[in-house]
Amino acid sequence: MAIKNFGQPQLVDQIIALDDERKRLQLAFDTTQAQVNAASKEIGQHMAKGDKAAAESLKAQVADWKQSLEPLKLSLAQSEKQLQETLVLLPNLPTAEVPAGKTPEDNVVVREGGEKPVLANGAKPHWELTQIHGLIDFELGNKITGSGFPVYTGKGAKLQRALVQYFLEFNTAAGYTEYLPPFMVNADSAYATGQLPDKEGQMYHATADDFYLIPTAEVPVTNIYRDTILKEADLPLKMTAYSPCFRREAGSYGKDVRGLNRLHQFEKVEIIQIVHPDQSAATLLDMVAHVEALVKSLELPYRILRLCGGDMGFAAAITYDFEVFSAAQERWLEVSSVSNFESFQTHRMKCRFKGADGKTQLAHSLNGSSLALPRILAALLENHQTPTGIRIPAALQPYFGSDTIGA
RNA sequence: GGUGAGGUGGAUGAGUGGCUGAAAUCAGUAGUUUGCUAAACUGCCGUACGGGUUAAACUGUACCGCGGGUUCGAAUCCCGCCCUCACCGCCA
């Protein structure tokens, strides 16, 4: 809790007290209810024998019990509700490897890779490059929707498509099964993966139907396995999905939002795994290596951070962030976040598996971006710009159909 | 949007007031048997939250789409909602 810089440690004591109270009430309720059930059965037997008097006197007794049951039922329901409401306020517990800290400055750089390019004089930030080469029309997006909803045009649109295609192929080649999920989810799904109640207000909410626009494919894809009991042999489940992502980003307007750096709608390819608890730590490293290989193949300078407790998401037990260096802006841009949620999401989702001993236990879930497109595009444009155009990395050329953009 | 049918355990599918947490079949699982592939037979085989135990055994409650109601007693009757399917209308 302290590592996560979580401000309300008293919640834990509250929960324990609430749970004790709940148990007390349930025991009281169950015992009385058991008496009622037994008596009801007896009444049936008396009726069958035609012993009306005995039946009637029992009925009176049952009516009595039921009266005392009413208030118990109410307080039990209230107690359960209260416990539930308090429980969902609790973030996941960080693992032992997570550094303590409050801000991004406390994150630990695990390693760096790739080479920062030396840009020629006159190198431009991506928001100028996209204009010069006619790749994105931000103004048009303003007109159609609002800020943060860019319109990709011509080669820009094609490059987006090429990136999505490449990422999906890269993931399926590594054994991930491709999904194309719904882009809106119901509240149950949003609770299960931890967006609700924590991120209420950050998601677009279609109130007429009470649907939420997904902030990431993680939400619909992980929820595929909500309320399921898997077989141990089914694990690990490896899934990948492309989706647009919608984020309100309320309160984050400012200097960092220029161009592609922060959008309300962006494209992303996600990888998700549901694994045996014994495997999740190793799986996390696998996924990090997988994303690293992907970033490398785009010939971008990158670094991998282990997030400190305070910078991690609500649901994560441990998170590695990938940042690529955006050469003209001279800043690092987060392009992927790979996390192990352990049993946090699966607990909310009731995603379990039946082990060899026949007992059901919670699986572990993990996910990561592979990758978030707009910032990758920004870095690609800025790092691979030449006086005459944009160089397309070799890995991407088969999907883009060309090795350069521009003259 | 209109009309009709329907939502039962992993699947198919019985079940119209008490003997039903729920038949049967399939799948799954443990075992027996037949010299392999395969088949036959037998047992087991829902979940959650409690009590209990070192752990079990054992035991209570709830759950047959969701929420209410009627009744001593509801999968079964009544009301509301959601969803699915079919046909019609509209439409990419």
Side-chain angles (χ1 to χ4, degrees), chain A residues 215-217 241-245 247 266-270 369 371-373:
Chain A
T216 158
Y242 151 81
S243 85
C245 303
R247 299 188 181 179
F266 62 94
E267 335 290 315
K268 185 159 64 63
V269 174
E270 189 81 359
S369 345
L371 293 156
L373 293 214

Side-chain angles (χ1 to χ4, degrees), chain A residues 58-265:
Chain A
L58 258 179
K59 273 194 201 184
Q61 171 71 74
V62 167
D64 234 37
W65 280 329
K66 285 189 73 174
Q67 209 147 48
S68 70
L69 229 36
E70 257 335 285
L72 264 179
K73 190 174 160 187
L74 283 176
S75 32
L76 181 60
Q78 204 181 10
S79 173
E80 274 168 353
K81 190 174 159 221
Q82 218 178 350
L83 179 63
Q84 192 53 37
E85 282 171 356
T86 315
L87 227 34
V88 295
L89 297 177
L90 219 52
N92 201 358
L93 239 39
T95 69
E97 301 136 282
V98 174
K102 293 182 184 173
T103 65
E105 280 73 56
D106 297 320
N107 295 336
V108 174
V109 176
V110 178
R111 61 178 172 273
E112 299 196 27
E115 284 199 15
K116 293 184 185 175
V118 181
L119 295 185
N121 276 344
K124 297 178 169 57
H126 69 265
W127 50 85
E128 288 182 26
L129 293 168
T130 52
Q131 196 169 14
I132 291 167
H133 297 289
L135 304 179
I136 298 181
D137 193 330
F138 289 99
E139 291 303 313
L140 192 53
N142 284 346
K143 175 178 116 179
I144 298 170
T145 307
S147 74
F149 293 90
V151 178
Y152 299 82
T153 57
K155 287 275 160 45
K158 185 170 185 183
L159 186 51
Q160 284 289 104
R161 179 159 55 87
L163 284 165
V164 169
Q165 185 88 334
Y166 171 48
F167 294 165
L168 285 171
E169 292 293 334
F170 189 87
N171 294 340
T172 51
Y176 290 89
T177 302
E178 184 176 345
Y179 285 83
L180 184 62
F183 300 153
M184 291 198 248
V185 295
N186 57 32
D188 283 348
S189 293
Y191 268 101
T193 39
Q195 276 71 25
L196 288 179
D198 182 55
K199 286 275 178 1
E200 173 102 72
Q202 288 299 335
M203 286 187 291
Y204 288 99
H205 187 189
T207 52
D209 297 289
D210 199 19
F211 293 151
Y212 292 87
L213 273 74
I214 58 171
T216 158
E218 161 198 347
V219 181
V221 174
T222 311
N223 270 282
I224 290 171
Y225 291 99
R226 172 151 54 88
D227 282 319
T228 48
I229 299 180
L230 299 155
K231 283 174 247 159
E232 188 166 348
D234 294 337
L235 304 175
L237 293 159
K238 302 173 74 175
M239 298 161 278
T240 185
Y242 151 81
S243 85
C245 303
F246 303 93
R247 299 188 181 179
R248 294 187 65 225
E249 303 290 356
S252 73
Y253 292 99
K255 59 180 163 55
D256 291 346
V257 306
R258 189 122 188 232
L260 291 167
N261 291 347
R262 190 180 296 278
L263 300 171
H264 287 308
Q265 178 184 319

Side-chain angles (χ1 to χ4, degrees), chain A residues 328-370:
Chain A
Q329 296 184 76
E330 293 189 30
R331 54 183 292 219
W332 293 96
L333 297 177
E334 181 193 333
V335 293
S336 177
S337 194
V338 184
S339 302
N340 185 357
F341 300 94
E342 296 191 336
S343 61
F344 184 88
Q345 294 182 328
T346 50
H347 182 251
R348 291 176 174 221
M349 280 203 298
K350 300 191 182 71
C351 173
R352 295 144 294 174
F353 70 95
K354 198 163 281 208
D357 56 358
K359 286 192 177 164
T360 58
Q361 54 176 310
L362 294 170
H364 279 189
S365 70
L366 308 93
N367 70 53
S369 345
S370 70

